[in-house]
Amino acid sequence: MNTIELWSGASKESIGDENQGCPSLSAYPVHGKDQSPAVIVCPGGRYFRRAAHEGEPVAKWLNGLGISAFVLNYRVSPYQHPIPLQDAQRAVRTVRHYAKDWNIDPERVGILGFSAGGHLASATGTLYDTGDNQSSDPIERQSSRPNLLILCYPVITFGAYGHRPSMHHLLGDSPDESLVALLSTEKKVTEDTPPTFLWHAADDERVPVENSLLFAGALSRHQVPFDLHVFESGGHGQGLAEGHPEVKAWPELCEAWLRKRNFV
């Protein structure tokens, strides 16, 4: 594993203990003759921290599937929107820019997120741009659109079923309604939103299952391919869920979906 700064010198300027070494990517490459797909991993943590068990273990699972993984050390509170989204967009652009050097297929770059990291991943997949061809920074000329999304018990909406701690840390105490609408990502789905794998537990008391249902409903209305799995029990924050009798099935289900999408 090695660390890649997303902007030169940016890590030296970050504020708060949780943001030391941010923004950066922790790289977990796979090695082989053929170009590998890549997935950027966004751990959750209410936009207040980044949960370790949703980072490196997930990257190593992806490595086992032949996928190069990059754990995104995105900036969290006291940073607010648009900083985390800019970090995620920059991560996608960076992987694409260095794809040839890192033996990665630039047309197979996905993003995976848990909880608030799932919100960040969904925002990256719905609020992307095609790059700035006039930029003096060659990385900024790359598209920030991921080729697929993997959303694990994601925060999606800041409406009726929203996760208030995530919204508070990302948007502040009294956010403008236009920002609340912009960052309720179920409202930003279009026919160009990337194919998406979602899973959630029906008994999740922190981030209600309606978050995944809202996003899946929007994908369905726009005829975007998706795979949704709702488990009867599992709570919140399970990560790879290796010890849970029900939700431990999600990595295998996701592997099958990734195979269908030519990522495995």
Side-chain angles (χ1 to χ4, degrees), residues 19-238:
N19 292 310
Q20 298 308 304
C22 300
S24 65
L25 291 170
S26 297
Y28 297 81
V30 295
H31 302 287
K33 292 182 180 179
D34 297 330
Q35 288 183 323
S36 74
V39 170
I40 296 160
V41 179
C42 304
R46 297 171 291 153
Y47 284 110
F48 180 75
R49 63 183 188 93
R50 295 173 305 280
H53 74 289
E54 295 169 348
E56 183 175 70
V58 179
K60 291 183 175 179
W61 165 66
L62 290 165
N63 285 170
L65 303 180
I67 299 172
S68 291
F70 298 84
V71 177
L72 176 58
N73 307 306
Y74 60 95
R75 286 170 286 183
V76 296
S77 180
Y79 292 98
Q80 295 182 342
H81 178 75
I83 297 300
L85 180 57
Q86 289 174 349
D87 290 349
Q89 291 171 332
R90 180 74 173 188
V92 176
R93 298 189 215 276
T94 298
V95 172
R96 284 221 170 92
H97 176 72
Y98 290 107
K100 185 175 181 180
D101 295 339
W102 297 345
N103 201 28
I104 286 169
D105 182 352
E107 299 305 318
R108 290 188 293 165
V109 178
I111 190 165
L112 179 159
F114 296 87
S115 192
H119 180 266
L120 181 57
S122 73
T124 307
T126 54
L127 301 174
Y128 58 84
D129 63 64
T130 58
D132 180 2
N133 290 330
Q134 304 303 314
S135 177
S136 60
D137 182 348
I139 293 176
E140 289 298 311
R141 298 174 200 158
Q142 298 287 338
S143 169
S144 67
R145 180 187 183 274
N147 298 106
L148 58 75
L149 309 179
I150 301 171
L151 307 180
C152 310
Y153 42 88
V155 175
I156 292 294
T157 187
F158 289 147
Y161 298 101
H163 185 244
R164 298 303 161 188
S166 294
M167 185 173 76
H168 166 75
H169 290 125
L170 184 64
L171 300 180
D173 292 330
S174 302
D176 187 277
E177 285 303 314
S178 63
L179 269 184
V180 172
L182 177 70
L183 275 301
S184 293
T185 60
E186 80 278 9
K187 298 180 179 181
K188 299 303 173 182
V189 171
T190 71
E191 64 274 9
D192 293 321
T193 298
T196 304
F197 178 95
L198 305 103
W199 76 270
H200 221 116
D203 66 349
D204 192 327
E205 295 183 352
R206 295 188 186 178
V207 178
V209 68
E210 281 83 359
N211 282 264
S212 284
L213 298 178
L214 284 166
F215 201 80
L219 293 169
S220 179
R221 287 191 296 276
H222 288 88
Q223 299 183 317
V224 176
F226 71 94
D227 200 348
L228 169 66
H229 298 271
V230 177
F231 300 92
E232 182 177 346
S233 64
H236 189 77
Q238 290 282 352

